DNA sequence: TCCATGATTGTTGGG
DNA sequence: CCCAACAATCATGGA
């Protein structure tokens, strides 16, 4: 029964679905997004010519290689971005009432 | 009330 | 143009 295993996010069958809502209040970015934004340059700089597969995986590895304190700045960004989403959500809620 | 799921975010690089 | 691993997220809804 491939239906998630309770607490843990079960699988990895993720497939982005364009938009399903009218104004689609997109969520905020994730800490990893901000981390990638900065590391992408660094990682790619140390590995010039590597494909995304290498960068992507490598990126994720060092992402966790950081300490919670190091992720803080990224998480902070994610939190700020989330707020951004809240705003969209509000507009979405307001507009929703036709 | 609680859980789970879905939708989304961004990187690179290529078919 | 879209997807692919990588990670987080976290708000919403369905029971």
């Amino acid at each position: 029964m491939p239906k998630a295993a309770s607490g843990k996010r079960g699988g990895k069958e993720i497939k982005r679905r364009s938009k399903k809502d009218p104004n689609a209040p997109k969520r905020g970015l994730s800490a990893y997004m901000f981390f990638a934004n900065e590391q992408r340059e660094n990682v790619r700089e140390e590995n010039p010519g590597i494909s995304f597969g290498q960068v992507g995986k490598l990126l994720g590895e060092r992402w966790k290689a950081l300490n919670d304190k190091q992720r803080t700045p990224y998480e902070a960004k994610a939190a700020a971005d989330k707020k951004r989403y809240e705003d969209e959500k509000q507009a979405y809620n307001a507009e929703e009432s036709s």
Side-chain angles (χ1 to χ4, degrees):
Chain A
M1 53 324 221
K3 276 278 188 302
S6 304
K8 289 181 195 161
R9 273 286 196 32
K12 52 190 188 284
E13 282 179 60
I14 44 136
K15 270 183 171 84
R16 61 200 340 248
R17 257 169 179 73
S18 303
K19 58 189 160 187
K20 64 171 186 61
D21 275 314
N23 23 27
K26 334 266 208 197
R27 313 181 36 279
L29 271 73
S30 168
Y32 187 82
M33 299 295 104
F34 306 101
F35 165 82
N37 263 280
E38 304 215 346
Q39 291 300 312
R40 114 207 117 159
E41 292 172 15
N42 168 70
V43 172
R44 235 188 130 226
E45 205 173 286
E46 291 198 48
N47 307 282
I50 67 175
S51 357
F52 157 58
Q54 278 48 253
V55 184
K57 287 180 182 180
L58 177 71
L59 206 54
E61 284 179 64
R62 10 194 324 142
W63 160 245
K64 287 186 186 161
L66 305 168
N67 307 315
D68 300 276
K69 187 182 176 152
Q70 276 65 101
R71 305 188 317 175
T72 288
Y74 308 103
E75 287 179 320
K77 276 265 197 188
D81 178 287
K82 169 199 156 280
K83 281 191 184 168
R84 191 96 225 118
Y85 164 80
E86 279 179 41
D87 184 79
E88 304 173 53
K89 198 176 44 137
Q90 266 179 69
Y92 168 72
N93 265 270
E95 211 182 296
E96 153 248 346
S97 53
S98 189

